Coordinates of all heavy atoms in Angstrom, one line a residue:
M602 N -16.9 1.8 -1.7 CA -18.2 2.0 -1.2 C -18.1 2.4 0.3 O -17.3 1.9 1.0 CB -19.0 0.6 -1.2 CG -20.4 0.7 -0.6 SD -21.2 -0.8 -0.5 CE -21.6 -1.1 -2.2
C603 N -18.9 3.4 0.6 CA -19.0 3.9 2.0 C -19.5 2.8 2.9 O -20.6 2.3 2.7 CB -19.8 5.1 2.1 SG -20.0 5.7 3.8
P604 N -18.8 2.4 4.0 CA -19.3 1.4 4.9 C -20.5 1.8 5.7 O -21.3 1.0 6.2 CB -18.1 1.1 5.8 CG -17.3 2.3 5.8 CD -17.5 2.9 4.4
A605 N -20.7 3.2 5.8 CA -21.8 3.6 6.6 C -23.1 3.7 5.8 O -24.2 3.3 6.3 CB -21.5 5.0 7.2
C606 N -23.1 4.3 4.6 CA -24.3 4.5 3.8 C -24.3 3.7 2.5 O -25.3 3.8 1.8 CB -24.4 6.0 3.6 SG -23.2 6.7 2.4
Q607 N -23.3 3.0 2.2 CA -23.2 2.2 0.9 C -23.2 3.1 -0.3 O -23.5 2.6 -1.4 CB -24.3 1.1 0.8 CG -24.0 -0.1 1.8 CD -24.3 0.2 3.2 OE1 -25.3 0.8 3.6 NE2 -23.4 -0.1 4.1
S608 N -22.9 4.4 -0.2 CA -22.8 5.2 -1.4 C -21.6 4.8 -2.3 O -20.6 4.5 -1.7 CB -22.7 6.7 -1.0 OG -22.5 7.5 -2.1
L609 N -21.8 4.9 -3.6 CA -20.7 4.7 -4.5 C -20.1 6.0 -5.0 O -19.2 6.0 -5.8 CB -21.2 3.9 -5.7 CG -21.7 2.5 -5.4 CD1 -22.3 1.8 -6.6 CD2 -20.6 1.6 -4.7
K610 N -20.6 7.1 -4.5 CA -20.1 8.4 -4.9 C -18.7 8.6 -4.2 O -18.5 8.2 -3.1 CB -21.0 9.6 -4.5 CG -22.3 9.5 -5.2 CD -23.2 10.7 -4.8 CE -24.5 10.6 -5.5 NZ -25.4 11.6 -5.0
W611 N -17.8 9.3 -4.9 CA -16.5 9.5 -4.3 C -15.9 10.9 -4.8 O -16.4 11.5 -5.7 CB -15.5 8.4 -4.6 CG -15.3 8.2 -6.1 CD1 -16.0 7.5 -7.0 CD2 -14.2 8.7 -6.8 NE1 -15.5 7.5 -8.2 CE2 -14.3 8.3 -8.2 CE3 -13.1 9.5 -6.5 CZ2 -13.4 8.7 -9.2 CZ3 -12.2 9.9 -7.5 CH2 -12.4 9.5 -8.8
G612 N -14.9 11.3 -4.1 CA -14.2 12.5 -4.4 C -12.7 12.3 -4.0 O -12.3 11.3 -3.6
T613 N -12.0 13.4 -4.3 CA -10.5 13.3 -3.9 C -10.2 14.2 -2.8 O -10.9 15.2 -2.5 CB -9.7 13.7 -5.1 OG1 -10.0 15.0 -5.5 CG2 -9.9 12.7 -6.3
Q614 N -9.2 13.9 -2.1 CA -8.8 14.7 -0.9 C -7.3 14.5 -0.7 O -6.8 13.4 -0.8 CB -9.5 14.2 0.3 CG -9.1 15.0 1.6 CD -10.0 14.5 2.8 OE1 -11.1 14.0 2.6 NE2 -9.4 14.7 4.0
A615 N -6.5 15.6 -0.4 CA -5.1 15.4 -0.1 C -4.9 14.7 1.2 O -5.6 15.0 2.2 CB -4.5 16.8 -0.1
L616 N -4.0 13.8 1.2 CA -3.7 13.0 2.4 C -2.2 13.1 2.7 O -1.4 13.4 1.9 CB -4.1 11.6 2.3 CG -5.5 11.3 2.0 CD1 -5.7 9.8 1.7 CD2 -6.4 11.7 3.1
S617 N -1.8 12.7 3.9 CA -0.4 12.8 4.4 C 0.5 11.8 3.7 O 1.7 12.0 3.5 CB -0.3 12.7 5.9 OG -0.6 11.3 6.2
G618 N 0.0 10.6 3.3 CA 0.8 9.6 2.8 C 1.5 8.7 3.8 O 2.2 7.8 3.5
R619 N 1.2 9.0 5.1 CA 1.9 8.3 6.2 C 0.9 7.4 6.8 O -0.3 7.7 7.0 CB 2.4 9.3 7.2 CG 3.6 10.1 6.7 CD 4.2 11.0 7.8 NE 3.1 11.9 8.3 CZ 2.8 13.1 7.9 NH1 3.5 13.6 6.8 NH2 1.9 13.9 8.4
G620 N 1.3 6.2 7.3 CA 0.5 5.3 8.0 C 1.2 4.2 8.6 O 2.5 4.2 8.7
K621 N 0.5 3.1 8.9 CA 1.1 1.9 9.5 C 0.6 0.7 8.9 O -0.6 0.6 8.4 CB 0.8 1.9 11.0 CG 1.4 3.0 11.8 CD 1.2 2.9 13.3 CE 2.0 4.0 14.0 NZ 1.9 3.9 15.4
V622 N 1.4 -0.3 8.8 CA 1.0 -1.6 8.2 C -0.1 -2.3 9.0 O 0.1 -2.5 10.2 CB 2.2 -2.6 8.0 CG1 1.7 -3.9 7.5 CG2 3.2 -1.9 7.0
Y623 N -1.2 -2.5 8.4 CA -2.3 -3.2 9.1 C -2.2 -4.7 8.9 O -2.4 -5.5 9.8 CB -3.7 -2.7 8.7 CG -4.8 -3.4 9.3 CD1 -5.2 -2.9 10.6 CD2 -5.5 -4.4 8.7 CE1 -6.3 -3.6 11.2 CE2 -6.6 -5.0 9.3 CZ -7.0 -4.6 10.6 OH -8.1 -5.2 11.2
A624 N -1.9 -5.1 7.7 CA -1.7 -6.5 7.3 C -0.8 -6.6 6.0 O -0.7 -5.6 5.3 CB -3.1 -7.2 7.0
W625 N -0.3 -7.8 5.8 CA 0.6 -7.9 4.6 C 0.6 -9.4 4.2 O 0.3 -10.3 4.9 CB 2.0 -7.4 4.8 CG 2.7 -8.1 5.9 CD1 2.7 -7.9 7.3 CD2 3.6 -9.2 5.7 NE1 3.5 -8.8 7.9 CE2 4.1 -9.6 7.0 CE3 4.1 -9.9 4.6 CZ2 5.0 -10.7 7.2 CZ3 5.0 -10.9 4.8 CH2 5.5 -11.3 6.1
I626 N 0.9 -9.6 2.9 CA 1.2 -10.9 2.3 C 2.3 -10.8 1.3 O 2.6 -9.8 0.8 CB -0.1 -11.5 1.6 CG1 -0.5 -10.6 0.4 CG2 -1.3 -11.6 2.6 CD1 -1.4 -11.3 -0.6
V627 N 2.9 -12.0 1.0 CA 3.8 -12.1 -0.1 C 3.0 -12.7 -1.3 O 2.4 -13.8 -1.1 CB 5.0 -12.9 0.2 CG1 5.9 -13.1 -1.0 CG2 5.8 -12.3 1.3
S628 N 2.9 -12.0 -2.4 CA 2.0 -12.4 -3.5 C 2.9 -13.1 -4.5 O 3.9 -12.6 -5.0 CB 1.4 -11.2 -4.1 OG 0.7 -11.5 -5.3
R629 N 2.4 -14.3 -4.9 CA 3.0 -15.1 -5.9 C 1.9 -15.5 -6.8 O 1.0 -16.3 -6.4 CB 3.7 -16.3 -5.4 CG 4.9 -16.0 -4.5 CD 5.5 -17.3 -3.9 NE 6.7 -16.9 -3.1 CZ 6.7 -16.7 -1.8 NH1 5.6 -16.7 -1.2 NH2 7.8 -16.4 -1.2
H630 N 1.9 -15.1 -8.1 CA 0.8 -15.4 -9.0 C 0.8 -16.9 -9.3 O 1.8 -17.5 -9.6 CB 1.1 -14.6 -10.3 CG -0.2 -14.5 -11.2 ND1 -0.6 -15.6 -11.9 CD2 -1.0 -13.5 -11.4 CE1 -1.7 -15.2 -12.6 NE2 -2.0 -14.0 -12.3
P631 N -0.4 -17.5 -9.2 CA -0.5 -19.0 -9.3 C -0.2 -19.5 -10.7 O 0.2 -20.7 -10.8 CB -1.9 -19.3 -8.8 CG -2.7 -18.0 -9.1 CD -1.7 -16.9 -8.9
S632 N -0.5 -18.8 -11.7 CA -0.4 -19.4 -13.1 C 0.5 -18.6 -14.0 O 0.9 -19.1 -15.0 CB -1.8 -19.5 -13.7 OG -2.3 -18.2 -13.9
R633 N 0.9 -17.4 -13.6 CA 1.9 -16.6 -14.4 C 2.9 -16.0 -13.4 O 2.6 -15.1 -12.7 CB 1.1 -15.5 -15.1 CG 1.9 -14.7 -16.0 CD 1.1 -13.5 -16.6 NE 0.8 -12.6 -15.5 CZ -0.2 -11.8 -15.5 NH1 -1.0 -11.7 -16.5 NH2 -0.4 -11.0 -14.5
A634 N 4.0 -16.6 -13.4 CA 5.1 -16.2 -12.4 C 5.5 -14.8 -12.6 O 5.7 -14.3 -13.7 CB 6.3 -17.1 -12.6
D635 N 5.5 -14.1 -11.5 CA 6.1 -12.7 -11.5 C 7.6 -12.8 -11.6 O 8.2 -13.9 -11.3 CB 5.7 -12.0 -10.2 CG 4.2 -11.7 -10.1 OD1 3.5 -11.5 -11.1 OD2 3.7 -11.8 -8.9
E636 N 8.2 -11.7 -11.9 CA 9.7 -11.7 -11.9 C 10.2 -12.1 -10.5 O 11.2 -12.8 -10.4 CB 10.2 -10.4 -12.4 CG 10.0 -10.1 -13.9 CD 10.5 -8.8 -14.3 OE1 11.4 -8.3 -13.7 OE2 10.1 -8.4 -15.4
S637 N 9.6 -11.5 -9.5 CA 9.9 -11.8 -8.1 C 8.6 -11.6 -7.3 O 7.7 -10.9 -7.7 CB 11.0 -11.0 -7.6 OG 10.7 -9.6 -7.7
P638 N 8.5 -12.3 -6.2 CA 7.3 -12.1 -5.4 C 7.2 -10.7 -4.9 O 8.2 -10.0 -4.7 CB 7.6 -13.1 -4.2 CG 8.6 -14.0 -4.6 CD 9.4 -13.3 -5.7
R639 N 6.0 -10.2 -4.7 CA 5.7 -8.9 -4.3 C 5.1 -8.9 -2.9 O 4.3 -9.8 -2.5 CB 4.7 -8.2 -5.2 CG 5.1 -7.9 -6.6 CD 4.1 -7.4 -7.5 NE 3.0 -8.4 -7.7 CZ 1.7 -8.2 -7.4 NH1 1.3 -7.1 -7.0 NH2 0.9 -9.2 -7.6
T640 N 5.5 -7.9 -2.1 CA 4.9 -7.8 -0.7 C 3.8 -6.8 -0.9 O 4.0 -5.7 -1.3 CB 6.0 -7.3 0.3 OG1 7.0 -8.2 0.3 CG2 5.3 -7.2 1.7
V641 N 2.6 -7.3 -0.6 CA 1.4 -6.4 -0.7 C 1.0 -6.1 0.7 O 0.9 -7.0 1.6 CB 0.3 -7.2 -1.4 CG1 -1.0 -6.3 -1.5 CG2 0.7 -7.6 -2.8
V642 N 0.7 -4.8 1.0 CA 0.4 -4.3 2.3 C -1.0 -3.7 2.3 O -1.4 -3.1 1.3 CB 1.4 -3.3 2.9 CG1 2.7 -4.0 3.2 CG2 1.6 -2.1 1.9
L643 N -1.7 -3.8 3.4 CA -2.9 -3.0 3.7 C -2.5 -2.0 4.8 O -2.0 -2.4 5.9 CB -4.0 -3.9 4.3 CG -5.3 -3.2 4.7 CD1 -5.9 -2.5 3.6 CD2 -6.3 -4.3 5.3
V644 N -2.5 -0.7 4.4 CA -2.0 0.4 5.2 C -3.1 1.2 5.8 O -4.1 1.6 5.1 CB -1.1 1.3 4.4 CG1 -0.6 2.5 5.2 CG2 0.1 0.5 3.9
D645 N -3.1 1.4 7.1 CA -4.0 2.3 7.8 C -3.3 3.7 7.7 O -2.3 4.0 8.4 CB -4.1 2.0 9.3 CG -5.2 1.0 9.6 OD1 -6.2 1.0 8.8 OD2 -5.2 0.3 10.6
L646 N -3.9 4.6 6.9 CA -3.3 5.9 6.7 C -3.7 6.7 8.0 O -4.7 6.4 8.6 CB -3.9 6.6 5.5 CG -3.4 5.9 4.2 CD1 -4.1 6.6 3.0 CD2 -1.9 6.1 4.0
E647 N -2.9 7.8 8.3 CA -3.2 8.6 9.4 C -4.6 9.2 9.4 O -5.2 9.4 10.5 CB -2.2 9.8 9.5 CG -0.8 9.4 9.8 CD 0.2 10.6 9.8 OE1 -0.1 11.6 9.3 OE2 1.3 10.4 10.4
E648 N -5.2 9.4 8.3 CA -6.5 10.0 8.2 C -7.6 9.0 8.4 O -8.8 9.4 8.3 CB -6.6 10.7 6.8 CG -5.7 11.9 6.6 CD -4.3 11.5 6.2 OE1 -4.0 10.3 6.0 OE2 -3.4 12.4 6.2
G649 N -7.3 7.7 8.6 CA -8.3 6.7 8.9 C -8.8 5.9 7.7 O -9.8 5.2 7.8
I650 N -8.1 6.0 6.6 CA -8.4 5.3 5.4 C -7.5 4.1 5.2 O -6.3 4.3 5.5 CB -8.3 6.2 4.1 CG1 -9.4 7.3 4.2 CG2 -8.5 5.4 2.8 CD1 -9.2 8.4 3.2
R651 N -8.0 3.0 4.8 CA -7.1 1.9 4.5 C -6.9 1.7 3.0 O -7.8 1.9 2.2 CB -7.7 0.6 5.0 CG -7.6 0.4 6.5 CD -8.0 -0.9 7.0 NE -7.8 -1.0 8.4 CZ -8.5 -1.7 9.2 NH1 -9.4 -2.6 8.7 NH2 -8.3 -1.7 10.5
L652 N -5.6 1.5 2.6 CA -5.2 1.4 1.2 C -4.4 0.2 1.0 O -3.4 -0.1 1.8 CB -4.4 2.7 0.8 CG -4.0 2.8 -0.6 CD1 -5.2 3.0 -1.5 CD2 -3.1 4.0 -0.7
V653 N -4.7 -0.6 -0.1 CA -3.9 -1.7 -0.5 C -2.9 -1.3 -1.5 O -3.2 -0.6 -2.5 CB -4.8 -2.9 -1.0 CG1 -3.9 -4.0 -1.5 CG2 -5.7 -3.3 0.0
S654 N -1.6 -1.7 -1.3 CA -0.6 -1.4 -2.3 C 0.6 -2.3 -2.1 O 0.6 -3.2 -1.2 CB -0.2 0.1 -2.2 OG 0.7 0.4 -3.2
N655 N 1.6 -2.1 -2.9 CA 2.9 -2.8 -2.7 C 3.8 -2.1 -1.8 O 3.8 -0.9 -1.6 CB 3.6 -3.0 -4.1 CG 2.8 -3.8 -5.1 OD1 2.1 -4.7 -4.7 ND2 3.0 -3.5 -6.3
M656 N 4.7 -2.9 -1.1 CA 5.7 -2.4 -0.2 C 7.0 -2.6 -0.9 O 7.3 -3.6 -1.4 CB 5.7 -3.2 1.1 CG 6.7 -2.8 2.1 SD 6.1 -1.3 2.9 CE 7.3 -1.2 4.2
E657 N 7.8 -1.5 -0.9 CA 9.2 -1.6 -1.5 C 10.2 -1.2 -0.4 O 9.9 -0.5 0.5 CB 9.2 -0.6 -2.7 CG 8.3 -0.9 -3.8 CD 8.4 0.0 -5.0 OE1 9.1 1.0 -4.9 OE2 7.8 -0.3 -6.0
G658 N 11.4 -1.6 -0.6 CA 12.5 -1.2 0.2 C 12.5 -1.8 1.6 O 13.1 -1.2 2.5
A659 N 11.9 -2.9 1.8 CA 11.9 -3.5 3.1 C 12.1 -5.0 3.0 O 11.4 -5.7 2.3 CB 10.6 -3.2 3.9
E660 N 13.1 -5.5 3.7 CA 13.4 -7.0 3.7 C 12.3 -7.7 4.5 O 11.9 -8.8 4.2 CB 14.8 -7.3 4.2 CG 15.9 -6.9 3.2 CD 17.2 -7.4 3.7 OE1 17.3 -8.4 4.4 OE2 18.2 -6.7 3.4
H661 N 11.9 -7.1 5.6 CA 11.0 -7.6 6.5 C 9.9 -6.6 6.8 O 10.1 -5.4 6.9 CB 11.6 -8.0 7.9 CG 12.8 -8.9 7.7 ND1 12.6 -10.3 7.4 CD2 14.1 -8.7 7.7 CE1 13.8 -10.9 7.3 NE2 14.7 -9.9 7.5
V662 N 8.6 -7.1 6.8 CA 7.5 -6.2 7.1 C 6.9 -6.7 8.4 O 6.8 -7.9 8.6 CB 6.4 -6.3 5.9 CG1 5.3 -5.4 6.2 CG2 7.1 -6.0 4.6
A663 N 6.4 -5.7 9.2 CA 5.8 -6.1 10.5 C 4.5 -5.3 10.6 O 4.4 -4.1 10.2 CB 6.7 -5.8 11.6
I664 N 3.5 -5.9 11.3 CA 2.3 -5.2 11.6 C 2.6 -4.0 12.5 O 3.4 -4.2 13.4 CB 1.3 -6.2 12.3 CG1 1.0 -7.5 11.5 CG2 0.0 -5.5 12.7 CD1 0.4 -7.2 10.2
G665 N 2.0 -2.9 12.1 CA 2.3 -1.7 12.9 C 3.5 -0.9 12.5 O 3.7 0.2 13.0
A666 N 4.3 -1.4 11.5 CA 5.4 -0.7 11.0 C 5.0 0.6 10.3 O 4.1 0.6 9.5 CB 6.2 -1.5 10.0
P667 N 5.7 1.7 10.6 CA 5.4 3.0 10.0 C 5.9 3.0 8.5 O 7.0 2.6 8.2 CB 6.1 4.1 10.8 CG 7.2 3.3 11.5 CD 6.8 1.9 11.6
V668 N 5.0 3.5 7.6 CA 5.3 3.6 6.2 C 4.9 4.9 5.6 O 4.2 5.7 6.3 CB 4.6 2.4 5.4 CG1 5.1 1.1 5.8 CG2 3.1 2.5 5.6
E669 N 5.4 5.2 4.5 CA 5.0 6.4 3.7 C 4.9 6.1 2.3 O 5.6 5.2 1.7 CB 6.0 7.6 4.0 CG 7.4 7.3 3.7 CD 8.3 8.4 4.2 OE1 8.2 8.7 5.4 OE2 9.1 8.9 3.4
V670 N 4.1 6.9 1.6 CA 3.8 6.6 0.2 C 4.8 7.2 -0.7 O 5.5 8.2 -0.4 CB 2.4 7.1 -0.2 CG1 2.3 8.6 -0.3 CG2 1.9 6.5 -1.5
E671 N 5.0 6.6 -1.9 CA 5.9 7.1 -2.9 C 5.2 6.8 -4.2 O 4.7 5.6 -4.4 CB 7.2 6.4 -2.8 CG 8.2 6.8 -3.9 CD 9.6 6.1 -3.6 OE1 10.3 6.6 -2.8 OE2 9.8 5.1 -4.3
F672 N 5.0 7.7 -5.1 CA 4.3 7.4 -6.3 C 5.3 7.1 -7.4 O 6.3 7.7 -7.6 CB 3.4 8.7 -6.7 CG 2.3 8.9 -5.8 CD1 2.4 9.7 -4.7 CD2 1.1 8.2 -6.0 CE1 1.3 9.9 -3.9 CE2 0.0 8.4 -5.2 CZ 0.1 9.2 -4.1
R673 N 5.0 6.0 -8.1 CA 5.8 5.5 -9.2 C 5.0 5.2 -10.4 O 3.9 4.8 -10.4 CB 6.5 4.1 -8.8 CG 7.4 4.3 -7.6 CD 8.2 3.0 -7.4 NE 9.1 3.1 -6.4 CZ 10.5 3.2 -6.6 NH1 10.9 3.1 -7.8 NH2 11.3 3.3 -5.5
E674 N 5.7 5.3 -11.6 CA 5.0 5.0 -12.8 C 5.2 3.5 -13.1 O 6.4 3.1 -13.2 CB 5.6 5.9 -14.0 CG 4.8 5.6 -15.3 CD 5.1 6.5 -16.4 OE1 5.4 7.7 -16.1 OE2 5.1 6.1 -17.5
I675 N 4.1 2.8 -13.3 CA 4.2 1.4 -13.5 C 3.2 1.1 -14.7 O 2.0 1.3 -14.5 CB 3.8 0.6 -12.3 CG1 4.7 0.9 -11.1 CG2 3.7 -0.9 -12.6 CD1 4.3 0.3 -9.8
G676 N 3.7 0.6 -15.8 CA 2.9 0.3 -16.9 C 2.1 1.4 -17.4 O 1.0 1.3 -17.8
G677 N 2.7 2.6 -17.4 CA 2.0 3.8 -17.9 C 1.1 4.5 -16.9 O 0.4 5.5 -17.3
L678 N 0.9 3.9 -15.7 CA 0.1 4.5 -14.7 C 0.9 5.0 -13.5 O 1.9 4.4 -13.2 CB -1.0 3.5 -14.2 CG -1.9 2.9 -15.2 CD1 -2.7 1.7 -14.6 CD2 -2.9 4.0 -15.7
T679 N 0.5 6.1 -12.9 CA 1.1 6.5 -11.6 C 0.4 5.9 -10.5 O -0.8 6.1 -10.3 CB 1.1 8.0 -11.5 OG1 1.8 8.6 -12.7 CG2 1.8 8.5 -10.3
L680 N 1.1 5.0 -9.7 CA 0.5 4.3 -8.6 C 1.2 4.5 -7.3 O 2.4 4.7 -7.2 CB 0.6 2.8 -9.0 CG -0.2 2.3 -10.2 CD1 0.1 0.9 -10.5 CD2 -1.7 2.6 -10.1
P681 N 0.4 4.4 -6.2 CA 1.1 4.6 -4.9 C 1.8 3.3 -4.5 O 1.2 2.2 -4.7 CB -0.1 4.8 -3.9 CG -1.3 4.2 -4.6 CD -1.0 4.3 -6.1
Q682 N 3.0 3.4 -4.0 CA 3.8 2.3 -3.5 C 4.3 2.7 -2.1 O 4.6 3.9 -1.9 CB 5.0 2.0 -4.4 CG 4.6 1.8 -5.8 CD 3.9 0.4 -6.0 OE1 4.5 -0.6 -5.9 NE2 2.6 0.5 -6.3
F683 N 4.3 1.8 -1.1 CA 4.8 2.2 0.2 C 6.2 1.8 0.4 O 6.7 0.8 -0.2 CB 3.8 1.6 1.3 CG 2.6 2.4 1.3 CD1 1.5 2.1 0.6 CD2 2.4 3.5 2.2 CE1 0.3 2.8 0.6 CE2 1.3 4.3 2.2 CZ 0.2 3.9 1.4
R684 N 6.9 2.5 1.3 CA 8.2 2.1 1.8 C 8.3 2.4 3.3 O 7.4 3.2 3.8 CB 9.2 3.0 1.0 CG 9.2 4.4 1.3 CD 10.3 5.2 0.6 NE 10.3 6.6 1.0 CZ 9.7 7.6 0.4 NH1 8.9 7.3 -0.6 NH2 9.7 8.8 0.8
P685 N 9.3 1.9 4.0 CA 9.4 2.2 5.4 C 9.6 3.7 5.6 O 10.2 4.3 4.8 CB 10.7 1.4 5.8 CG 10.8 0.3 4.8 CD 10.3 0.9 3.5
S686 N 9.0 4.2 6.6 CA 9.2 5.7 6.9 C 10.7 5.9 7.2 O 11.4 5.1 7.8 CB 8.4 6.1 8.1 OG 7.0 6.1 7.8
A687 N 11.1 7.1 6.9 CA 12.5 7.5 7.1 C 12.8 7.4 8.6 O 11.9 7.8 9.5 CB 12.7 9.0 6.7
G688 N 13.9 6.8 9.0 CA 14.2 6.6 10.4 C 13.4 5.5 11.1 O 13.5 5.4 12.3
A689 N 12.8 4.6 10.3 CA 12.0 3.6 11.0 C 12.7 2.3 11.2 O 12.2 1.3 11.6 CB 10.8 3.3 10.1
G690 N 14.1 2.3 11.0 CA 14.9 1.1 11.2 C 14.7 0.1 10.2 O 14.1 -1.0 10.5
R691 N 15.1 0.3 9.0 CA 14.9 -0.6 7.9 C 15.6 -1.9 8.2 O 15.7 -2.8 7.7 CB 15.4 0.0 6.6 CG 14.6 1.2 6.3 CD 15.2 1.9 5.1 NE 14.6 3.2 5.0 CZ 14.3 3.8 3.9 NH1 14.7 3.3 2.7 NH2 13.7 5.0 3.9

């Protein structure tokens, strides 16, 4: 939903896939254990959009850490997953 006008209309637009971690949590399902806990991040993309997704390839996550998107097939769907940006000091 648009925070300015509350419109539910949407479209697609190409984005850089680069951003910074705004917030994160370690997700553990309360009644159905995951194979392993997942790190879920809220990313501020360079274009000003925030996106929630999983973080891969990082032992530690920090607010403000630079990340980039990588698309992976999960359960038959292609989904965005984030990883530390190249050269970001993993």
Side-chain angles (χ1 to χ4, degrees):
M602 175 185 290
C603 175
C606 70
Q607 286 73 48
S608 173
L609 297 177
K610 295 180 183 178
W611 61 274
T613 59
Q614 178 178 335
L616 302 173
S617 68
R619 293 182 304 270
K621 293 186 178 184
V622 174
Y623 180 81
W625 63 276
I626 63 164
V627 174
S628 174
R629 293 178 179 92
H630 197 284
S632 60
R633 187 185 63 203
D635 294 325
E636 290 181 20
S637 61
R639 294 174 292 126
T640 301
V641 180
V642 291
L643 176 58
V644 175
D645 269 335
L646 294 173
E647 288 179 344
E648 295 80 8
I650 296 168
R651 285 189 179 152
L652 182 66
V653 175
S654 188
N655 294 331
M656 180 77 171
E657 297 184 351
E660 288 184 32
H661 304 284
V662 180
I664 303 299
V668 294
E669 55 191 52
V670 74
E671 180 175 278
F672 290 92
R673 294 189 178 250
E674 186 172 324
I675 300 171
L678 300 171
T679 302
L680 299 172
Q682 305 290 290
F683 284 90
R684 67 176 186 272
S686 290
R691 297 175 189 211

